[in-house]
Amino acid sequence: MTDLDPRTLRALVGAMPKAELHLHLDGSLRVDTALDIARTRGVDAPRTFAGMRGVLVGPEQSEDQAALLLAFDLPIALMQDAEAIERISGDLVTDKAADRVRYAEVRWAPLLHTERGLTGRQVVEATWRGAREAAAGRDIEVRLIATLMRSHAPERNLAFVRDLADHGIPDGLVAVDLAGQEAAFPDYERHRAAIELAREVGLHVTVHAGEWGGAAQVRRALVLRPERIAHGPLAIEDPELVAELIARGTWLDLCPTSNVQASIVPTVEAHPLRRLLHAGVRVTLNTDDLTVSDITLSEEYARAVERIGVTLPELWAMDLAALEAAFCDDATRARLDASFRAWGDAVPEVQGA
């Protein structure tokens, strides 16, 4: 907890240099950009700001993960040409830099954006062009994570990764992810071949787990040997799983606000972030989506202190730990770590006892 008043707390976390590892591109569209793309591409979508925002922002609490994922349908429909993808990628990097996010890993599923003729590789390249241009001149480093969809045929995901193996990994791409509806596609073994090939060619591996199925589904994800798990908060319910995550050094990239939206936890206050942290699990704090979850990373940080009970030194330690967990090269990590610590050295409130 903190004795800081809410305005001072938000000023502090707003100024704090931050790293975000769990961030979906297609969940982070600006409303005005979505309006323009829908108009110029003839996509059936709301034509007013309020109407578009109502579609892009997810409900405060959905019935389950599958219901929340419906908020991604329109963004995916709008992201079917290189120009749109570049623009949306650039918008997100710009918005994150304005929130003092100094390192961001942006993920999305390239194969969801091939309906108008783009290849998966071209989607990656367009995303990187937008991110790289927006990052230039701003104090932010960006890396990309290509998500493989559970709902896609294993052969299709494998073909995408094989292209990376055969023709080289595009600039900016550092990892693969596995995501999508867990209840409908719970089996991680279906996509083992694609994940293993990605690892063989030097990509890092993270997977989504535990947005459905609780601790058992998080345990099931370990068959793919991920370095990080996206979500997984209910791992706290299984002491043996907690011990295994600690022993493996597997990170949980947690997103409290999004987890409430998907009805994984009933409230932010009930989120087990602090309990996982105190148990010794390696955790990071993220938004999941800028627009679908309608939250900045600074606000997510403030909520962790005010509503979950994380102390400011614990919050700062998690922020620094995200650099340790990041899928970047060691030189970039060292430079960011030095910059972050220089800021922290001048702010007594974030220093531990």
Side-chain angles (χ1 to χ4, degrees), residues 160-175:
F160 170 77
V161 178
R162 185 167 288 130
D163 176 78
L164 304 180
D166 292 344
H167 300 102
I169 298 171
D171 290 345
L173 186 65
V174 294

Side-chain angles (χ1 to χ4, degrees), residues 86 89 93 107 114 132 144 159 197-198 243 290 301 307 312 317 319 325:
E86 284 185 43
S89 177
V93 172
R107 69 182 72 196
T114 58
R132 182 187 59 202
L144 304 180
L197 180 58
L290 179 59
Y301 273 29
R307 300 171 64 178
L312 273 170
D319 193 23

